Amino acid sequence: MTGIGLGQLLLALDATMVSLVQAPRGLDLPVSSAALIDSDDVRLGLARAAGSADVFFFVGVTDEDAVRWIGNQVGVPVAVFVKQPSDALVAKAARAGAAVVAVEPQARWERVYQLVNHVLEHHRDRADSQEDSGTDLFGLAQSLADRIHGMVSIEDAQSHVLAYSASSDEADELRRLSILGRAGPPEHLQWIGQWGIFDALRAGGEVIRVDERPELGLRPRLAIGIHRSRPPTFAGTIWVQQGSQPLADDAEEMLRGAAVLAARIMARLAARPSPHVRQVQQLLGLGQGDPGDVSECARDLGLSIDGTGAVIGWDTIGDTDRQARITDVVALSASAFRHDAQVASNGTRSYVLLPQISKTRPVASWVRGTIGALRTELNVELRAAIAAPVHGLAAVAAARAEVDRVLDSAERHPVSFGQVTSLAEARTTVLLDEVVTLIGADERLVDPRVRELKTRDPMLAETLSAYLDCFGDIAAAASWLQVHPNTVRYRVRRIERLMSTSLADPDVRLVFSLSLRAIERPAESAAGTVFRNRHAE
């Protein structure tokens, strides 16, 4: 995967986000990947080799630990990104040959990571005809800014900044905080909302003028909604903050043209993911056709084709409006956990491949922690299924398909699954659910006597279900039904007479049990309770 120069990366991020402290080997070194180092990585020795990434973000790492980490590296990182780097860290990095980039203290690491990866994925070598797709959002923002003499930012439909032009000293607080990934000042957002600006941007494609509010430190702006035509969708907003220099006379006309271009770029990026994402999708079997040459894919991604790994599937429960951000946060967490983690998404699901995993318990712990963090920070609920160990990259696509089977079953019957489950733990539940689902989809496979009993006497059908789920144990079935055992015996004899069969026949019990489960959906049968109780034990 072709990288870009460190200098190009820093220019794209802009002085609002980062500033260069030193670059002992210059700014032309290529950067193609980024990873995070947190305090646990340093403390537990999980990040000793720098070969898996070119630049690293020190998240919550003390200066002392950061200095020690740099000293323990076999390879030399291109750069390390640090908030308020100390003199000792800068000196240590200089001796090692690593550049040091200071990150604005108010910047959210999630935002830095997202923007860096966006730049790496979409600032391609224009000499490569396969990757040349015209300008990108960062290029569009800068070109528009140069043309109309304003500071441009491009946001998605959820008001997350996707790209922006270079900022001057005249950038106001709203622009600066938006770029850093922080919420704008409440009084600013409240004022903008009160005047119906957000509603107007979503409603049509006209340029909106936002007047200056000196008492709020808010400079004048132009804004226009980005609308995709197929299907008709509000995709985001282009904002232009004016500085001391007046905007060009044809600024509104240029802004309308930029909104059209932005819609095309966003549609292209949504339909055609980056080369890295396409390779991960191919490895996971999410692309068209078979996974293809796994060895070639592994080489491009810098992964070993052998060894054991883990595949985790994440499914969003409920509101999926923020799916793109959820995937970004999962990717951020995965990269912090393992620098060689690979992430892809498909609809409401995200997938993480963790190569070279020898112990699965830390994986489950990390998954639970990430679900808890997303619940706290984004107020969203996720369900996860883990396939581990996966033996070699050639088995990854099959493992992802198995994970999907678990998530599909959990989507149909969430009460039967915890928020985190493994493929091995869920095997029986998934197989039974799939068998019953297939039976329920074909009326010919459901015993008509069971359907007739359910319609004629629901109480007897409930007794039959309990009796079968309790393996013919009269006392257990009576306890579940909260009736006397003699009542169960009487009802069982009635059932046998009505259905002209004997429940002592194992084939009859199997067919009746599967038929009952098929017609009881989505209600939960006694077997579901029995299974969960045993599983808990």
Side-chain angles (χ1 to χ4, degrees), residues 22-25 63-64 66-78 80 86-100:
Q22 66 169 13
R25 293 186 289 165
D63 281 336
E64 182 181 351
V67 169
R68 184 169 65 254
W69 181 88
I70 292 173
N72 289 338
Q73 296 313 295
V74 177
V76 180
V78 173
V80 294
S86 67
D87 292 341
L89 187 148
V90 173
K92 185 68 173 182
R95 289 194 294 271
V100 176

Side-chain angles (χ1 to χ4, degrees), residues 234-279:
F234 172 71
T237 306
I238 302 178
W239 295 91
V240 181
Q241 186 214 305
Q242 182 178 328
S244 57
Q245 182 180 4
L247 298 177
D249 293 339
D250 59 353
E252 292 192 16
E253 181 181 351
M254 293 297 102
L255 198 52
R256 282 189 284 269
V260 174
L261 288 177
R264 291 175 184 171
I265 294 170
M266 292 167 77
R268 187 185 70 237
L269 295 180
R272 183 175 181 269
S274 71
H276 178 89
V277 171
R278 291 201 301 271
Q279 287 170 327

Side-chain angles (χ1 to χ4, degrees), residues 380-404:
V380 296
E381 293 289 344
L382 295 184
R383 183 184 294 115
I386 304 171
V390 178
H391 299 286
L393 293 185
V396 165
R400 191 275 310 161
E402 291 295 296
V403 162
D404 271 343

